[in-house]
């Protein structure tokens, strides 16, 4: 099926993924707004952060890292509740956490940051839930030919949220007086976005695969018919429901009904390790260090003014947004996962090595190397083209890969471990980056560059998942042989067809 025809046919599934991924926009906004707000003079003055570079570096790292800490624990909520509550309701609960966290942050006042940190932790719970549930929901609703595109929308909304955060903060820096209103205004937007997430989550159908896992096959079939825009007795619906039922039956047979322990069965544990590896290299590539601390990073290469650093950071988010759209429009549909990850890691490593070398050879503290100098412009260009490489590879694909490789029965647990792993390392990276830049400077980028090359080598060994249905992942990872699914699908398909005919006769 041509891509244009597939988009037209599956418009209901695409619409559902767009709505669910609004949560990813809030995800991007909450992580992106931190670096800009902490850089505002009004925020520094309110909370006494301008007393020394060390105080500012510690506060910057805490402002972002406590969000990651909350997200780490938030990823554990969906697997504990998913037996009783569906995907859409979990997204709604995440929106409630975002709402409460936003209110706490906006209502805080100096000189201590306690209430701000508390609000960031609560928002982090919603962030962790969203990073777990949204990729799973979209993977379970998407047709296999569009799964990569639809799951990549998660990254596009995430990037658009970060872009909104930086440009809002830049606008407030330019046009609002240096008072509490200046830093409260960008933070207050997350309250609006949280309300949208909370309401919109209730407008989508529940995941058919989650319903099937609860043995609610009639509801699963109805929802799948809506998402595929096909009749219940069509071969497409009969085939997919049969595949879902067969996979669940195979998993029950192989594991004697166990659930959490299945994650540590040999073949499932191997894919768990693949997801952990993808998450580690996705975080330690240096992108989060640049994005979350963009004003600090641009100040390091010579753009020391508040507005110039925020402007450069805003341009960075625009580049990410455009490149993510290009990725969704072409890259993910035509290229394999491992090729994009390996190529992206290689280029990212080269660009960061070059950035570190430029900082070492042309330190901005030396007269003539500041903002506007050839060396500063060159380093800015390296950061921007690094962002291009990231946005076409590790940025969107780490969430795609982790969200698609686990079977239905343990997908909640597998995604929880994968997402918690990402947030744990995010916490570490965000805690050490501003302090590392302060103390070892250009060597930080050499460390990140080395890890990117290691990530590229790791990606070459990844099992390729492009073009496979979720039910075919068990074959890819060696849980069952290739003939088993078809042998199980046929009786399920025939049984479903007989039930449909019986219903029509009645």
């Amino acid at each position: 099926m041509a891509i244009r025809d597939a988009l037209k046919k599956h418009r209901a599934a695409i619409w559902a993924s767009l709505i669910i991924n609004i949560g990813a926009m809030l995800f991007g906004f909450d992580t992106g707004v931190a670096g800009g707000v902490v850089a505002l003079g009004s925020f520094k003055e309110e909370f006494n952060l301008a007393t020394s570079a060390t105080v500012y570096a510690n506060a910057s790292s805490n402002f972002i890292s406590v969000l990651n800490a909350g997200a780490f624990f938030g990823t554990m909520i969906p697997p504990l509740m998913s037996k009783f509550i569906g995907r859409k309701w979990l997204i709604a609960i995440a929106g409630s956490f975002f709402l409460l966290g936003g209110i706490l942050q906006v209502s805080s006042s100096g000189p201590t940051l306690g209430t701000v940190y508390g609000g960031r932790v609560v928002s982090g719970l919603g962030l962790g839930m969203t990073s777990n549930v949204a990729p799973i929901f979209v993977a379970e609703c998407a047709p296999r030919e569009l799964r990569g595109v639809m799951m990549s929308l998660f990254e596009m909304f995430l990037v658009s949220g970060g872009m909104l955060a930086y440009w809002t903060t830049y606008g407030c820096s330019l046009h609002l007086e240096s008072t509490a209103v200046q830093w409260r205004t960008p933070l207050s937007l997350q309250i609006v976005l949280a309300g949208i997430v909370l309401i919109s989550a209730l407008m989508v159908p529940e995941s058919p695969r989650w319903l099937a896992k609860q043995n609610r096959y009639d509801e699963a079939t109805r929802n799948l018919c809506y998402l595929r825009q096909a009749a219940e007795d069509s071969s497409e619906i009969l085939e997919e429901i049969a595949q879902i039922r067969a996979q669940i039956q195979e998993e029950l047979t192989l594991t004697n009904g166990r659930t959490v322990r299945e994650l540590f069965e040999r073949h499932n544990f191997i894919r768990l390790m693949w997801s952990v590896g993808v998450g580690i290299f996705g975080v330690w590539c240096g992108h989060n260090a640049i994005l979350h601390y963009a004003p600090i990073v641009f100040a390091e290469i010579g753009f020391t003014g508040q507005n110039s650093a925020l402007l450069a950071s805003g341009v960075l988010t625009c580049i990410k947004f455009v490149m993510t759209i290009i990725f969704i429009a072409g890259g993910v549909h035509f290229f394999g996962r491992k090729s994009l990850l390996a190529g992206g890691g290689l280029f990212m490593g080269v660009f960061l090595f070059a950035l570190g070398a430029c900082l070492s050879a042309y330190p901005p503290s030396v007269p003539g190397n500041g903002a506007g100098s050839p060396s500063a412009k060159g380093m800015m260009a390296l950061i921007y083209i690094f962002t291009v490489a990231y946005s076409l590879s590790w940025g969107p694909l780490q969430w795609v890969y982790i969200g698609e490789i686990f079977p239905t029965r343990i997908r909640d647990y597998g995604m929880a471990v994968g997402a918690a792993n990402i947030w744990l390392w995010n916490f570490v990276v965000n805690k050490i980056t501003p302090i590392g830049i302060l103390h070892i400077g250009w060597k930080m980028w050499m460390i990140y560059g080395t890890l990117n090359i290691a990530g590229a080598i790791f990606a070459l060994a990844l099992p390729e998942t492009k073009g496979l249905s979720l039910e075919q992942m068990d074959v890819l990872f060696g849980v069952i042989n290739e003939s088993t699914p078809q042998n199980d699908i046929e009786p399920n398909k025939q049984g479903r067809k007989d039930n449909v005919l019986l219903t029509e006769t009645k």
Side-chain angles (χ1 to χ4, degrees):
M1 182 185 295
I3 183 68
R4 186 174 179 180
D5 295 334
L7 291 172
K8 184 177 180 180
K9 172 175 171 50
H10 297 296
R11 57 188 180 276
I14 294 170
W15 174 245
S17 72
L18 287 171
I19 290 176
I20 287 299
N21 278 319
I22 294 174
M25 178 180 282
L26 188 47
F27 175 168
F29 186 90
D30 246 15
T31 53
V33 76
V37 166
V38 174
L40 292 174
S42 56
F43 189 85
K44 295 177 184 177
E45 183 178 351
E46 177 94 20
F47 296 99
N48 296 329
L49 304 183
T51 53
S52 73
T54 302
V55 169
Y56 177 59
N58 285 329
S60 298
S61 67
N62 290 338
F63 194 78
I64 296 175
S65 59
V66 293
L67 181 78
N68 301 145
F72 174 83
F73 291 104
T75 60
M76 307 298 179
I77 297 175
L80 297 175
M81 299 180 64
S82 64
K83 186 176 181 180
F84 313 102
I85 300 175
R87 314 285 192 220
K88 60 186 287 183
W89 291 103
L90 287 171
I91 291 289
I93 293 171
S96 301
F97 279 126
F98 278 124
L99 187 64
L100 177 58
I103 291 171
L104 287 172
Q105 291 172 63
V106 172
S107 63
S108 62
S109 58
T112 63
L113 285 160
T115 307
V116 175
Y117 290 159
R120 298 290 285 174
V121 171
V122 174
S123 291
L125 294 173
L127 190 60
M129 291 182 68
T130 300
S131 66
N132 182 319
V133 178
I136 290 177
F137 189 103
V138 175
E140 291 182 340
C141 292
R144 66 180 177 181
E145 65 268 26
L146 293 179
R147 191 175 66 246
V149 172
M150 289 171 59
M151 291 185 72
S152 297
L153 291 173
F154 181 86
E155 177 73 8
M156 189 190 78
F157 275 82
L158 189 157
V159 170
S160 64
M163 184 169 64
L164 176 64
Y166 269 108
W167 284 109
T168 301
T169 307
Y170 177 63
C172 291
S173 175
L174 278 181
H175 301 294
L176 296 181
E177 293 183 9
S178 187
T179 64
V181 174
Q182 188 186 60
W183 63 264
R184 283 195 173 113
T185 300
L187 288 178
S188 65
L189 277 182
Q190 63 188 300
I191 298 174
V192 177
L193 291 173
I196 295 173
V197 170
L198 183 58
I199 295 170
S200 64
L202 307 180
M203 298 168 58
V204 295
E206 187 54 81
S207 161
R209 285 173 171 80
W210 181 84
L211 291 168
K213 183 181 173 183
Q214 312 308 313
N215 203 30
R216 293 158 61 178
Y217 280 97
D218 289 339
E219 293 174 73
T221 303
R222 285 196 297 271
N223 285 6
L224 191 63
C225 289
Y226 170 75
L227 292 168
R228 299 291 179 267
Q229 297 289 286
E232 187 174 338
D233 60 350
S234 67
S235 60
E236 177 184 7
I237 298 298
L238 292 172
E239 178 83 21
E240 191 163 352
I241 286 292
Q243 287 179 345
I244 294 169
R245 189 189 292 267
Q247 187 197 32
I248 292 174
Q249 289 173 351
E250 287 158 8
E251 291 166 7
L252 284 170
T253 301
L254 289 168
T255 59
N256 298 318
R258 296 191 299 273
T259 52
V260 180
R261 287 177 60 191
E262 293 174 43
L263 196 61
F264 300 98
E265 298 284 338
R266 178 174 174 269
H267 294 290
N268 288 332
F269 186 73
I270 289 172
R271 53 180 142 190
L272 180 66
M273 290 299 98
W274 284 124
S275 77
V276 168
V278 168
I280 289 173
F281 287 113
V283 172
W284 281 97
C285 69
H287 166 265
N288 288 350
I290 292 173
L291 180 67
H292 297 165
Y293 298 106
I296 294 176
V297 172
F298 284 113
E300 185 194 17
I301 65 172
F303 295 84
T304 54
Q306 174 179 296
N307 290 338
S308 61
L310 287 172
L311 176 60
S313 305
V315 172
L316 179 77
T317 61
C318 290
I319 292 172
K320 280 194 67 180
F321 182 74
V322 173
M323 288 295 95
T324 302
I325 291 175
I326 292 173
F327 174 85
I328 293 171
V332 70
H333 194 70
F334 298 109
F335 297 98
R337 313 284 197 247
K338 61 192 295 182
S339 300
L340 288 170
L341 289 172
L346 176 62
F347 283 110
M348 287 153 58
V350 170
F351 297 145
L352 289 187
F353 280 138
L355 176 62
C358 287
L359 271 171
S360 175
Y362 303 99
S365 57
V366 174
N369 292 341
S373 67
S375 60
K377 290 177 181 178
M379 286 185 277
M380 177 184 279
L382 286 169
I383 290 173
Y384 286 158
I385 57 177
F386 165 87
T387 302
V388 170
Y390 175 84
S391 300
L392 294 175
S393 56
W394 288 89
L397 277 180
Q398 60 179 312
W399 294 107
V400 172
Y401 198 87
I402 294 171
E404 69 185 359
I405 63 175
F406 293 103
T408 301
R409 280 173 50 76
I410 59 169
R411 189 167 292 130
D412 297 312
Y413 302 107
M415 190 67 195
V417 173
N421 170 65
I422 288 174
W423 290 117
L424 173 63
W425 292 116
N426 259 318
F427 174 84
V428 175
V429 167
N430 289 325
K431 185 67 180 170
I432 68 173
T433 293
I435 299 169
I437 289 174
L438 181 64
H439 292 291
I440 63 174
W442 61 271
K443 295 175 185 175
M444 282 292 296
W445 308 112
M446 294 301 190
I447 294 170
Y448 287 133
T450 302
L451 290 169
N452 274 305
I453 301 302
I457 296 169
F458 167 83
L460 291 173
L462 281 173
E464 182 57 70
T465 59
K466 181 181 179 293
L468 299 179
S469 70
L470 293 181
E471 286 67 40
Q472 289 172 321
M473 296 297 172
D474 280 346
V475 177
L476 176 67
F477 288 97
V479 177
I480 54 177
N481 62 51
E482 195 166 353
S483 62
T484 304
Q486 195 59 37
N487 293 337
D488 289 339
I489 287 169
E490 287 305 323
N492 278 298
K493 185 176 177 181
Q494 185 59 47
R496 184 67 196 173
K497 188 180 292 184
D498 293 342
N499 288 340
V500 171
L501 290 173
L502 182 63
T503 302
E504 289 177 349
T505 302
K506 289 181 180 179

